[in-house]
Amino acid sequence: MAELLTSLTSQTSPGSPAQDRAEALRVGEVGLGRAQLLAAAGAVADRVHGAGAVAVEATADARTVTAIVGCLLAGVPVVPVPPDSGETERAHILNDSGAELTLRAEDVDLTAQGRGSHPEPAGESTALILYTSGTTGAPKGVPVTRSAIAAGLDALADAWSWTPEDRLVHGLPIFHVHGLVLGVLGPLRVGSPLVHTVRPRPAAYAEAAQAGGSLFFGVPTVWSRIAADPQSADALRGARLLVSGSAPLPVPVFERLTRLTGHQPVERYGMTETLITVSSRADGERRPGQVGVPVPGTQTRLADDDGTVLPHDGEAVGELQIQGPTVFSGYLHRPEANAKAFTADGWFRTGDVATIGADGWHRIVGRASTDLIKSGGYRIGAGEIEDVLLGLAGVREVAVIGVPDEDLGERVRAFVVADGLTSEQVIDHVAQRLSVHKRPREVVFVSELPRNAMGKVVKQRLR
Ligand code: MCA
Ligand code: AMP
C-alpha cells in the first residue's frame, strides 16, 4: 500500500532545506523539523526492526512521538502505555500484547540518524495495539491496521477539509485514537504541522491560536472548560475549525462556544474499534446534539434487540452498527468477545444507541450498557474497577456507576459494602493499580446493594 505517514516519508529525496527545517512537530517546548524527525525516528526503526511488538511509555514528549514513528517506520506494532496506569493495568497491557521491549522518552536521541529507509509494510499489518475498557474485566487489546488508519485519516481530511495549510493544535493523551491516531499520525499523513500543548488547558489553546493554530481538537471537557473561560475562547476566533469528540458535546457548551469563538464546533463520533466513522463536515451544516453523517467509505445502520434492521427516520432508536475500511477485525486473544462484537452478517456492534434521520444525520442517544462510563472522554469499565476493589481486604460487595458531571460528562462513583475502610483507602487502592481517571471520585458506603430476584445488582436503583 501507499505509505502510512505519507507527508513525513514520501519525499524520497530531502525537501528544500527550508521545508525540512520548518517545524513539523512541537510538543511543549521541543520542536522538530521533518528531516530531524525522520532521521531520529529512523534510528529507532533500526533498533526495533524485527520485534513482534514494542511498548511505548506514552508521555506527551517529542521523544515519545519519535519512538512511535520509528516503530511505525520499521513496521513494528506499537503498544502505547498510559504513563499513569497503575501496576495491575500496566502488567496486563504488557503481558497481553506480548510487547518485547518498552521504549521510554529517555531511550530516544533526537539527534540520531537512521541508517536508511525501511520498506513499507503491508496495509493489513498491525500498526497499533490500543487497550480499551469493556463492561467487564481487564481492558481488551484492539489491533489497528495500517490500512484502517490510512482510510480513517483520509476520510477525515475530506470531511474537515484538512490540508498541509492547517496547523493542528491539541493537548490530548497520545495513547488513544483521539490524541494519537487523529492527533499525531493525522498531521504526519496530511502534512499539517502539529502543536501538542502537553495538557489541553484553555490558556495553552489560546496561545497556540495566537501563534497561528488553525485546527483544534478537544474532548467535551476541554471545550466546556474553554467555554467557561471567555478570554481563551475569544483567542480561538482566528481558528479555522474546532472539532469535538470522544463523548457527547452538551448542547449548552456547543452554543456557548459558538457565541464566544464565532465557530460552530464540528462534532464527530467514533470508537477505538472503528476509528472515527461519523462526523459533521467543515463545508456543511453543524447541528448541536447531533454527530453528523458517515464519513466517506463507512456504512451505518440501526438494529433492535433481536437484530431487526430499523428505518432511518429520525425516530427509531436502536443499536448503531458499523461497516467499513476503518473497522477492526477483532480483539486480541478474545474469541468470546469477538463472537458478540459482530453480527452474523459482519457488522460491528458499537453498543451505542442512536437514531439516524432520513437525511443521514446521526444522534447518539446513549449506551446500551450502564457498565461503560465516559469521564473526561476516557472510556472506563465499571467491571474493571469492581474487580480491583473486590481484592481490597474488608470489601464485601461493590458496584461502580457513572453519575452525570458538569465538567467530565460522567464521574466514577463506587458503592461499597465494607468493614472499617475509609474513602481514601478505597480510592488509593484503585489509584495504585489502574489509571488516574479510573479512580472513584466518590465512595458511598452502604449496608447492602439493591438486587433483583436473581440476585443481580440493579444499578439503575443506585442512580
Ligand atoms: C483525578 N484526580 C483525582 C481523581 N481523579 N484526585 C483524587 N481522586 C480522584 N478520583 C486528579 C487528577 O490526577 C488531576 O491531578 C486532578 O485531579 C484534576 O483531574 P481532572 O479533573 O481529571 O482534570 P484533568 O487531569 O485536567 O483531566 C481532564 C482532561 C482529561 C484533560 C479532559 O480527562 C483528558 O485528557 N481526557 C482526554 C481523554 C481522551 O483523549 N479520550 C479519547 C479516547 P493533577 O492535576 O495533579 O494531575 S479515544 C476515543 O474516544 C475515540 C475513538 C474518539 O471518539 O475520539
Ligand atoms: P473509545 O473507545 O474510548 O473511543 O470510546 C468510544 C465511545 O465513546 C463510543 O462508543 C461512544 O459511546 C463515545 N463517543 C465517542 N464520540 C462520541 C460523540 N461525539 N458523542 C457521543 N458519544 C461519543
Side-chain angles (χ1 to χ4, degrees), residues 15-24 33-35:
S16 72
Q19 261 175 354
D20 281 343
R21 275 196 309 274
E23 221 167 74
R34 187 191 79 88

Side-chain angles (χ1 to χ4, degrees), residues 310-337:
L310 301 172
H312 295 187
D313 57 6
E315 300 282 332
V317 176
E319 183 188 36
L320 182 62
Q321 300 184 347
I322 312 263
Q323 226 179 25
T326 62
V327 178
F328 82 143
S329 54
Y331 301 103
L332 209 59
H333 321 307
R334 304 296 286 267
E336 280 173 31

